[in-house]
Amino acid sequence: MTSRKPIVAIDGPAGAGKSTIARRVAEKLGFIYVDTGAMYRAVAWKSLRAGVSLSDSDGITALAKSMTIRFDRSNGQRVFADSTDVTEAIRTPEVTRLSSPVSAISGVRRRLVEMQREMGTAGGIVMEGRDIGTVVFPDAEVKVFLTASPEERARRRQLELAEKGIESSLDDLAAQMRERDDRDSSREDSPLRQAADAAPIDTDNMTIDQVVEAVLRLCEERMRGCCSTT
Ligand code: DC
């Protein structure tokens, strides 16, 4: 029996609803929420800013090692790369595209996984990404693998962009998403895949509330008697 608080790992492809669900589950449990995709995006942002080309894996690894990535939870969930608030800057299409090949660089992954494990030392955390249940916290008490059909995921992303006043084509979004999924799933280091002991949830015909409920139910089942939640 462990004395740390539980860890909830939520993995899945882009647009499956991980961020929304993970954030709400963390709120309900009073746990810390960590969006690991934002960390890969921050490294991609920094490499663009520093003019380090994607072909220079060592250069990008050196950047990842030298920079700090911090979440400020006092004012929503702001993301800082060193002292710069990059919360909005890491969501541009350019950074989104670059974050996938940057996340395939082993040196970058090693550094970020180390930071993520540090964040989870005390538990009491909901962490979402692609390799949380498989690599970062293989012993997490709760593991969820969220999926949705490519059409549904593209539709959700379109709505999200529309809310920011950005018009986009569903076909283009679906194509970009497919490309990112293929790359994230086929890379050698820590590819996106479901952990053997993760609970799969297909969110296609579910509301956000229903998915949150399903994850909370799973937390209740898995956390019962396994460790302290207070
Ligand atoms: O979840 P997201 O779209 O913000 O993630 C950005 C990129 O980072 C995505 O292409 C996959 C990668 N990523 C990863 O490889 N491992 C994680 N734990 C989280 C994200």
Side-chain angles (χ1 to χ4, degrees):
M1 184 174 295
T2 165
S3 61
R4 66 155 172 74
K5 291 183 189 177
I7 292 175
V8 181
I10 301 187
D11 290 303
K18 295 187 301 292
S19 301
T20 311
I21 304 302
R23 196 186 293 264
R24 297 231 189 149
V25 168
E27 252 170 46
K28 291 270 186 191
L29 295 174
F31 283 11
I32 287 169
Y33 159 65
V34 178
D35 168 8
T36 60
M39 300 170 76
Y40 289 95
R41 287 169 179 269
V43 177
W45 173 86
K46 177 109 190 207
S47 58
L48 271 175
R49 173 101 176 221
V52 181
S53 108
L54 188 54
S55 56
D56 182 5
S57 310
D58 290 345
I60 298 185
T61 299
L63 272 186
K65 283 187 175 162
S66 67
M67 72 190 286
T68 58
I69 301 171
R70 192 169 56 81
F71 293 98
D72 181 357
R73 299 183 177 85
S74 62
N75 179 18
Q77 173 98 354
R78 312 293 304 174
V79 188
F80 284 80
D82 297 321
S83 54
T84 310
D85 184 339
V86 294
T87 314
E88 278 83 31
I90 58 171
R91 302 291 160 191
T92 63
E94 197 182 13
V95 173
T96 300
R97 252 193 317 275
L98 190 65
S99 63
S100 179
V102 160
S103 73
I105 301 172
S106 287
V108 171
R109 299 204 72 82
R110 260 197 304 279
R111 171 68 184 132
L112 296 197
V113 167
E114 183 184 279
M115 289 168 74
Q116 290 153 12
R117 287 187 178 144
E118 254 167 48
M119 292 177 190
T121 315
I125 198 165
V126 179
M127 192 173 275
E128 56 119 332
R130 306 291 192 287
D131 60 340
I132 312 306
T134 50
V135 174
V136 183
F137 293 119
D139 298 329
E141 283 72 13
V142 183
K143 295 185 189 178
V144 177
F145 196 79
L146 286 188
T147 56
S149 64
E151 298 75 28
E152 176 62 17
R153 292 191 285 124
R155 201 184 61 78
R156 288 180 191 167
R157 193 43 56 94
Q158 190 183 42
L159 273 177
E160 217 175 272
L161 290 170
E163 275 167 20
K164 292 183 192 155
I166 304 168
E167 263 187 55
S168 53
S169 125
L170 207 55
D171 286 347
D172 287 353
L173 286 178
Q176 286 162 19
M177 217 163 246
R178 216 170 302 121
E179 191 189 324
R180 208 143 70 88
D181 284 352
D182 286 349
R183 199 194 295 266
D184 294 341
S185 310
S186 62
R187 68 177 175 227
E188 247 170 64
D189 191 344
S190 321
L192 165 68
R193 62 179 176 79
Q194 185 182 325
D197 52 351
I201 302 182
D202 178 350
T203 66
D204 259 10
N205 296 306
M206 293 172 82
T207 63
I208 291 172
D209 283 349
Q210 287 172 330
V211 182
V212 170
E213 275 309 308
V215 176
L216 287 173
R217 262 200 311 275
L218 198 71
C219 290
E220 230 175 83
E221 271 169 40
R222 303 260 168 108
M223 288 178 193
R224 209 175 285 145
C226 79
C227 40
S228 149
T229 51
T230 53

